[in-house]
Amino acid sequence: MTTTRGSDRMRVLVPWAQLEEQMGGWPDGLQVEVYDGTGAPPEDVSDVELYVLPYGRSVGRDLLPRMPALRAVQSLSAGVEKVLPLIGPNVTLCNGRGLHDASAAEHGLGLILAAQRELPRWVRDQDAGRWAPEHTRSLADSRVVLVGYGSIGAALEQRLLACEAEVVRVASKADPGRAVHGVDELPSLLPTADIVVLTLPETPGTIGLVGAETLALLPDDALVVNIGRGRTLDTEALLAELTTGRLRAALDVVDPEPLPSDHPLWTSGAIVTPHVGGGAATFYPRAERLVAEQLRRFADGRPLLNVVSGPELPQEAAPSS
């Protein structure tokens, strides 16, 4: 769908046609076209000024180097490490902060509960028609070290506290006023952890942050959960611990992705889901509301939401609901 083109209209690509009806029409001053990352993209994108990337489709990023007039990019993911190298310093980049909080936190809680209460075991027993009850671990009264205390980490914390767990907050830097520890304190925090959860973005400082030395600090039978980025956790180091049975793991993100069918993680005893934590039903209505607001702001020349890089400094964060 495309508006009638006019010389004074700014060209925009968005991933959803239904936005026009929901917004009551596209904002004045914009020529809006729809590209959802499937099929053939527009042949000429040289005059596109705002591009809303299709969610979960890497092919959409391939258009970025062909957009010399680009002024702003809206990613629907919280992490933008794969977008940054493809845009210039004069392009304002906005992320999807807040869109995934509820769904990612739900998935993280689900992974923890599945591991603590051994749900995969009971599913296998059901498939085999086997009745073999045993007592399991619990989330209640467990000490959870939450590494990466951003919006997703805070959303997960709410759910963990509701399950009567003790939560230890860890961020890149300590913030005593909010009871947040710095990542440099992990050596003193991990030896008493029952569960460690990674909700980290991928940055030069977080790649490989949790490796053999860090994992060795955890007590026997501790659970390692990753719902952030796969490369923040050293796969080989984790496999070494899983192979001996000393540690357990529940992972929504892994390195490499996608995980090859013959990769040893599949048979390591870890619970593995295919990077689906952020894409639950709550995501899409929230994403559409964010994009609609960004279109209005772009058309009016107002500051955009969730700016993470570029010439425009962050003004405010998008609401999470």
Side-chain angles (χ1 to χ4, degrees), residues 234-309:
D234 186 316
T235 301
E236 294 304 315
L238 178 64
L239 275 170
E241 295 282 12
L242 296 176
T243 300
T244 65
R246 196 183 78 81
L247 297 180
R248 299 172 295 123
L251 313 167
D252 184 50
V253 293
V254 294
D255 179 29
E257 286 187 13
L259 198 62
S261 60
D262 60 348
H263 197 282
L265 264 180
W266 289 118
T267 55
S268 66
I271 298 173
V272 179
T273 57
H275 202 151
V276 294
T282 57
F283 163 73
Y284 292 97
R286 297 179 185 203
E288 289 172 1
R289 287 195 293 271
L290 171 61
V291 172
E293 178 62 18
Q294 295 289 57
L295 291 179
R296 296 186 187 100
R297 287 169 175 262
F298 192 73
D300 296 342
R302 290 183 287 140
L304 299 178
L305 301 170
N306 287 6
V307 175
V308 293
S309 72

Side-chain angles (χ1 to χ4, degrees), residues 5-225:
R5 180 147 192 182
S7 59
D8 60 340
R9 293 180 182 271
M10 297 177 288
R11 190 177 174 200
V12 174
L13 287 186
V14 301
W16 309 299
Q18 69 268 23
L19 264 182
E20 182 176 17
E21 181 177 353
Q22 293 174 7
M23 295 179 68
W26 300 123
D28 292 339
L30 299 185
Q31 175 202 331
V32 183
E33 301 175 26
V34 176
Y35 175 59
D36 64 1
T38 64
E43 289 187 10
D44 181 11
V45 293
S46 60
D47 59 345
V48 170
E49 297 186 46
L50 170 63
Y51 182 25
V52 181
L53 289 164
Y55 180 62
R57 298 185 183 278
S58 60
V59 66
R61 296 194 296 267
D62 297 342
L63 293 182
L64 289 168
R66 296 166 48 194
M67 296 179 170
L70 197 62
R71 294 170 51 207
V73 175
Q74 174 67 59
S75 170
L76 300 177
S77 298
V80 292
E81 66 275 357
K82 294 181 180 179
V83 179
L84 278 169
L86 302 177
I87 61 174
N90 294 323
V91 177
T92 297
L93 176 60
C94 307
N95 72 357
R97 177 180 172 85
L99 300 180
H100 305 273
D101 295 359
S103 52
E106 285 179 351
H107 198 78
L109 178 63
L111 288 174
I112 294 169
L113 289 171
Q116 293 298 93
R117 301 307 302 263
E118 300 189 29
L119 296 188
R121 171 182 178 174
W122 307 130
V123 170
R124 288 191 292 268
D125 281 359
Q126 179 178 351
D127 290 342
R130 181 171 50 244
W131 186 275
E134 287 188 20
H135 292 297
T136 67
R137 305 167 190 85
S138 178
L139 174 54
D141 298 333
S142 294
R143 191 168 194 254
V144 183
V145 176
L146 191 54
V147 185
Y149 193 67
S151 60
I152 292 175
L156 179 56
E157 178 189 42
Q158 292 179 341
R159 290 154 175 81
L160 293 171
L161 292 175
C163 292
E164 302 181 38
E166 174 191 359
V167 177
V168 180
R169 305 167 174 175
V170 180
S172 56
K173 295 181 180 179
D175 184 352
R178 295 194 303 146
V180 176
H181 298 269
V183 72
D184 58 331
E185 298 177 65
L186 284 177
S188 64
L189 299 174
L190 292 182
T192 59
D194 300 297
I195 302 167
V196 59
V197 183
L198 308 181
T199 62
L200 296 164
E202 183 178 306
T203 68
T206 63
I207 293 175
L209 177 67
V210 178
E213 292 184 5
T214 305
L215 293 172
L217 297 170
L218 289 166
D220 292 354
D221 200 46
L223 174 65
V224 179
V225 180

